Amino acid sequence: TQTVQNTIAANVVLTVTKTVRQTPLAIGKADQCYTITINIANGPTTAAMTIADVMPVGITLSAAPTATGGILSGCPATGSTLAGCTIAPNAVGPVVIRVPVIVAAASAGSTAVNTATVSGGGDPTCPAAARCTGVVSTPVASPDMQVPPSIVLAQPVVGVPYPAGQTITC
């Protein structure tokens, strides 16, 4: 009699969430971003993960995405689509991808619905399973303070007031 013991490893399981740094998103404001978080169960990943994300109308990348917890490559620095973005194999998670964006004036008053989907990584159910997709819905607003574009303001100098006649709207 001989006994053979086999250990069957569970498949990698990916779970994606999508968030936004601020609500509402503001037209023309710098330093806004979406965050894609990929949690990895039964890791590390056994294959590269591919991220698919098409920005809502009027929202584009303001710089290349960055990641912590995994090696990110192939992402564009401009445009409205994260095409070609991959995370190298052997990630243990969570992998957090920061997607910097800028919002155009055409988006004012709307709601931006943004979806990110991950496939690969050794999870045979992604991208089909619901947990492989993260969705965030965010209102889009005009900024609180505006200077009419026809007025050119001089560079500010500490202690020197702007000339009279300038209009700033809050």
Side-chain angles (χ1 to χ4, degrees), residues 132-152:
C132 304
T133 299
V135 179
V136 64
S137 181
T138 310
V140 178
S142 295
D144 292 336
M145 182 179 284
Q146 296 178 348
V147 176
S150 61
I151 298 173
V152 178

Side-chain angles (χ1 to χ4, degrees), residues 90-133:
N90 296 315
V92 293
V95 175
V96 179
I97 302 168
R98 183 181 181 276
V99 183
V101 296
I102 190 82
V103 182
S107 299
S110 66
T111 298
V113 179
N114 188 227
T115 303
T117 302
V118 174
S119 59
D123 185 336
T125 64
C126 285
R131 64 182 160 65
C132 304
T133 299

Side-chain angles (χ1 to χ4, degrees), residues 17-117:
T17 55
K18 181 100 186 216
T19 57
V20 66
R21 173 183 265 172
Q22 73 176 49
T23 299
L25 288 170
I27 295 169
K29 183 178 183 291
D31 201 31
Q32 298 181 103
C33 69
Y34 286 109
T35 301
I36 303 166
T37 303
I38 307 166
N39 287 303
I40 303 166
N42 305 327
T45 58
T46 57
M49 291 182 283
T50 301
I51 297 95
D53 190 349
V54 177
M55 301 294 150
V57 172
I59 298 177
T60 57
L61 293 166
S62 61
T66 57
T68 56
I71 301 169
L72 181 67
S73 63
C75 291
T78 60
S80 60
T81 304
L82 289 186
C85 287
T86 60
I87 298 288
N90 296 315
V92 293
V95 175
V96 179
I97 302 168
R98 183 181 181 276
V99 183
V101 296
I102 190 82
V103 182
S107 299
S110 66
T111 298
V113 179
N114 188 227
T115 303
T117 302

